[in-house]
Amino acid sequence: MKRRIDIDDDDVDMDVEGRLFYGGEPYSGEVAEYLRGALISLDDYVDGWPHGMQREWYANGEPRGEGVARNGLPSGEHKEWHSNGRLASKKIFSAERGELLAEYFWDEEGNSTRAWKATED
């Protein structure tokens, strides 16, 4: 089982670059955030950087967002949902540099509201 800490723990700190420390050392493991006892986010970290799954939930337990980070940068497909469970957005990032390649948005009824895709050079 992975080591897990609460983001609100007094021993948690973050530097100006966004690197997370626990007890003064770069942290590796899961970082959880709770709201009134409900788990609302759970992120994987390696050496202080987001690396692995990044997940968020509404307080009622329904999914709010998910994606993957690699060495502190977004990687691959990231999704967010409206509180009614419908997909709100999907963003696609390059695996290497975290560059945004495409993004899509939907309203709460599931209608497409905006789409963008990077042009190939």
Side-chain angles (χ1 to χ4, degrees):
M1 181 161 180
K2 288 183 185 178
R3 186 173 147 194
R4 182 183 289 184
I5 61 171
D6 187 324
I7 191 69
D8 294 322
D9 188 303
D10 289 339
D11 288 333
V12 174
D13 195 18
M14 192 172 283
D15 68 14
V16 294
E17 295 178 330
R19 193 168 186 198
L20 189 120
F21 294 84
Y22 183 72
E25 299 292 323
Y27 180 73
S28 293
E30 293 179 328
V31 177
E33 182 177 5
Y34 299 89
L35 178 64
R36 295 185 294 280
L39 180 66
I40 59 168
S41 74
L42 186 61
D43 302 324
D44 291 329
Y45 279 76
V46 173
D47 295 327
W49 297 108
H51 189 86
M53 286 301 300
Q54 314 290 296
R55 297 163 297 248
E56 292 183 80
W57 296 270
Y58 289 99
N60 67 4
E62 291 296 318
R64 183 178 186 148
E66 71 178 20
V68 174
R70 298 278 179 241
N71 302 311
L73 299 172
S75 178
E77 189 173 274
H78 286 239
K79 294 180 180 178
E80 292 183 0
W81 290 271
H82 291 288
S83 59
N84 67 3
R86 290 192 185 257
L87 191 61
S89 70
K90 179 170 67 171
K91 297 179 181 181
I92 301 169
F93 297 89
S94 69
E96 304 80 33
R97 297 189 309 248
E99 295 173 317
L100 184 61
L101 302 175
E103 60 184 351
Y104 307 92
F105 297 89
W106 297 270
D107 64 20
E108 291 183 346
E109 285 76 44
N111 301 304
S112 177
T113 60
R114 191 172 80 215
W116 173 86
K117 189 173 181 180
T119 57
E120 296 183 26
D121 292 332

